[in-house]
Amino acid sequence: MTAVTPPVSFVPKDFASDQEVRWCPGCGDYAILKATQKALAEVGATPDKTVFVSGIGCSSRFPYYLATYGFHTIHGRAPAVATGVKLARPDLDVWIATGDGDGLSIGGNHLLHVLRRNVDLQILLFNNEIYGLTKGQYSPTSHRGTRSPSSPHGTQEEPVSPAQFALGAGGRFVARAIDTQQKQLVEILKAAHAHRGTSFIEVFQNCVVYNDNVFATFTERAVAAEMQLWVAHGKPLLFANGTRGLRLKPGTLMLEAVTIGEEGITEADILIHDQTSKPLALMLAALQPPTMPVALGVLYCSPTACLPLAPAQGAIDPAALPQQIDAALHRGDTWTIESRADS
């Protein structure tokens, strides 16, 4: 009787590479890396079947620090490369690490299309509202009035909301987390991994050097309970230790924050989170301090069919690939440009 070899079980440290992790001391990226390694171990991922693809920026150093396969690609193009990896090897678990500058500025077009195509991969967008790697210029998510080397008098335009962008682009899984809140971040990463299709996670990440405490209005311990709303499917939208909640303002389709016990309001009046409702997800993504709490957790999850693979995708013969590529390049009309003696 042949003995059955039990599957190898990996722990978080098995996903740590031998490279020295080099971000600024206190950077939120360290926390995101630790959470990712823990989540990979808990979902049963294996290093030889996992790929991290990144563009350019502080966040894009991610592939160096994980003992998996990885590509450090060019600015904003990680979604295109990751799509190619997934189409060529659908058996691989593909992740994208990007930032608010890399993903939403030069990479906005690529990010939009990977979301609408619903490629089966996970996107981690580190949002620190600044260009950290290139010394602190304002980014697409910087709040209005941000002073930086590229906006000395303060920015004039309204910022991009990553979560709203993902929802508008057709994303089927959109979530938010905070870098240092490890328990919640790990659970969100695991939920994203379980979702078939493109999973988009915006992580509020603190840049201690160029944009320190930019999220203090909802991350500081003194205000966290009042300004953080962690949503859960089928549960009431409560915050402030259950003393406050959200409801639809009577006669409107707008959310308002109310206090349990005031004006006869009870928990029965509080809206129940439905993660399959895109209109609700859009309203939650738009909430912001100081008048409303920041919505965190899985805002939207409504699975649909993933991007279909090419008909012959499952039967690729690596040995025949060079000939197939050559044949594709020479298919159709071709011509030769010859040099002229009198030119």
Side-chain angles (χ1 to χ4, degrees):
M1 187 174 185
T2 304
V4 177
T5 303
V8 178
S9 180
F10 293 93
V11 296
K13 68 178 182 180
D14 293 322
F15 291 94
S17 76
D18 61 355
Q19 299 298 299
E20 179 187 359
V21 182
R22 300 184 65 182
W23 285 306
C24 299
C27 176
D29 289 1
Y30 288 97
I32 301 172
L33 177 63
K34 289 296 182 185
T36 302
Q37 291 166 343
K38 190 172 191 296
L40 289 172
E42 293 187 7
V43 300
T46 61
D48 63 321
K49 290 290 186 180
T50 306
V51 183
F52 277 81
V53 183
S54 67
I56 297 297
C58 297
S59 62
S60 294
R61 299 184 65 84
F62 231 58
Y64 294 107
Y65 305 141
L66 288 153
T68 64
Y69 288 105
F71 291 90
H72 189 174
T73 69
I74 55 179
H75 210 183
R77 273 63 174 185
V81 175
T83 298
V85 172
K86 191 64 181 182
L87 290 178
R89 288 290 302 274
D91 58 309
L92 296 180
D93 186 11
V94 181
W95 297 71
I96 293 173
T98 186
D100 47 301
D102 180 62
L104 292 169
S105 188
I106 192 170
N109 182 51
H110 294 280
L111 187 60
L112 183 154
H113 292 299
V114 76
L115 286 161
R116 75 174 181 87
R117 288 171 177 150
N118 202 33
V119 183
D120 189 16
L121 49 76
Q122 294 76 233
I123 301 170
L124 292 175
L125 187 139
F126 302 20
N127 181 16
N128 55 23
E129 295 190 1
I130 208 75
Y131 278 99
L133 185 68
T134 52
K135 307 299 184 287
Q137 300 88 347
Y138 80 97
S139 84
T141 60
S142 296
H143 63 269
R144 190 169 186 173
T146 296
R147 293 180 180 272
S148 75
S150 55
S151 58
H153 301 294
T155 58
Q156 300 301 307
E157 61 264 43
E158 292 298 320
V160 174
S161 164
Q164 288 178 294
F165 174 91
L167 289 164
R172 308 300 298 196
F173 180 103
V174 178
R176 278 173 166 171
I178 297 171
D179 53 7
T180 55
Q181 296 192 4
Q182 290 285 287
K183 181 180 178 181
Q184 295 93 330
L185 178 54
V186 169
E187 291 306 311
I188 289 171
L189 292 173
K190 289 162 63 176
H193 183 268
H195 174 255
R196 298 278 67 84
T198 303
S199 297
F200 179 88
I201 310 102
E202 175 189 4
V203 185
F204 294 106
Q205 178 260 324
N206 191 44
C207 176
V208 294
V209 175
Y210 295 110
N211 214 16
D212 195 22
N213 292 322
V214 69
F215 302 121
T217 53
F218 65 93
T219 59
E220 284 295 304
R221 184 172 297 181
V223 299
E226 288 285 338
M227 300 311 298
Q228 292 180 21
L229 169 60
W230 284 93
V231 304
H233 184 59
K235 301 292 184 181
L237 294 170
L238 293 168
F239 61 102
N241 299 316
T243 63
R244 306 198 72 206
L246 299 182
R247 71 171 182 176
L248 286 177
K249 190 175 183 179
T252 74
L253 293 176
M254 299 174 59
L255 295 176
E256 69 171 351
V258 294
T259 301
I260 306 296
E262 290 186 359
E263 300 178 0
I265 294 172
T266 68
E267 189 171 315
D269 297 304
I270 304 304
L271 201 60
I272 301 298
H273 181 48
D274 178 5
Q275 67 182 23
T276 68
S277 170
K278 191 170 184 177
L280 177 57
L282 284 165
M283 287 192 287
L284 290 171
L287 302 178
Q288 55 183 315
T291 58
M292 298 289 267
V294 173
L296 302 159
V298 180
L299 306 186
Y300 184 62
C301 181
S302 183
T304 188
C306 302
L307 177 71
L309 301 179
Q313 198 66 50
I316 288 179
D317 178 5
L321 204 53
Q323 291 79 14
Q324 293 173 356
I325 293 174
D326 186 68
L329 290 174
H330 291 84
R331 185 184 302 127
D333 295 331
T334 62
W335 62 93
T336 301
I337 299 177
E338 298 179 348
S339 61
R340 293 176 52 181
D342 59 347
S343 61

